[in-house]
Amino acid sequence: MITTPTAIDSLHIRYLEQIKAIDSTENGQDVRQGLQQGAKTLPPRYFYDEKGSLLFEDICNLPEYYPTRTEAGILQEYALEIASITGNCELVELGSGSSSKTRFLLNAYQTLYSSLNYVPIDVSGEILAASAKQLLSDYSTLKVRGLVGTYEQALAQLTPSSLPTRIILFLGSTLGNFYPQQSDRFLAQIINALQPGDYFLLGVDLQKPKAILEAAYNDSQGVTAAFNLNMLAHLNWRFRGNFALKNFVHRAIYNEKEGRIEMYLDCLRSHQVRLESLDLTVEFRQGESILTEISRKFNLDTLEQNVQERGLSILQTQTDDRGWFGVILCQK
Ligand code: AVJ
């Protein structure tokens, strides 16, 4: 059920591989499960159909949404240092999207080394194809092997590195989408995919005052609201559903106790929704909400400790001047 990239020319199509589905998420069991609970939830990965990935790009350019800009600044400043510490290696990126921040790293590796091997992984085949094509025309020595699938699928099916060393990139604070237990399991999977000596570069959003966080997820142009609601449109085409987007409104709050943004779709009137391919009918009551995303905000010390307890050594941690975002370079 993963979208197959369509509009890419034959020269580039060999750079994209569809990953085999290896879990139950592909037939929508995760959607069924989330909507059949008392407190309804939907998995954040359903934000990212083609339209959702483009809306996320728009979010990254919003004045209120500081994470992308802040992380990009850190990467720009330290890319050469990171590349010289790791030596030449294959770059594997989880959730590569448009790969725009990754360009700072690609530039650095291209400057220092003769070969440039990049393995972007994303659930959106369209975005992956478009960005792979653009990268290939911009970087003369680049080899791209794009993988379309979920992180779990990709990590479980990663083939041996094309170079003696590999660095796995997990940027943009996507780790924040996972609950603590899930993120522990996910970090273990990443570490398992690394050989001793391989590297891991992790970018995370840090705790900061509530007002700054809530503004970042309730932008004045309503782009985040459109992004949140687009998940329902995505479910409509993917599972032949009939969600009426006008029945829901976007809401994002910072839960200080849990240290996380919670993003909801609040239901405005009682109604039924049908998802034909799942043979599923869901009752919605006025005033109930669907939790579509958590975005955890981390404490650097706690996270560093967690990573070290899993057997990684931390080589360096960089933050911006305001201490809003952190980028941690680790080695197995
Ligand atoms: C891509 C998961 C890091 O949590 O900030 C942006 C997604 N959601 N605005 C985040 C998102 C609403 C983003 N991550």
Side-chain angles (χ1 to χ4, degrees), residues 47-48 56 59 65 67 172-174 177 216-217 224 227 263 293-295 297:
F47 285 132
Y48 304 98
F56 181 66
I59 288 177
Y65 194 75
S173 205
T174 304
N177 274 176
Y217 292 82
T224 310
F227 172 75
M263 218 157 80
E293 176 173 59
I294 62 162
S295 184
K297 305 304 164 189

Side-chain angles (χ1 to χ4, degrees), residues 10 55 58 84 202 281 305:
S10 55
L55 282 167
D58 294 341
S84 61
L202 177 64
T281 304
Q305 208 181 326

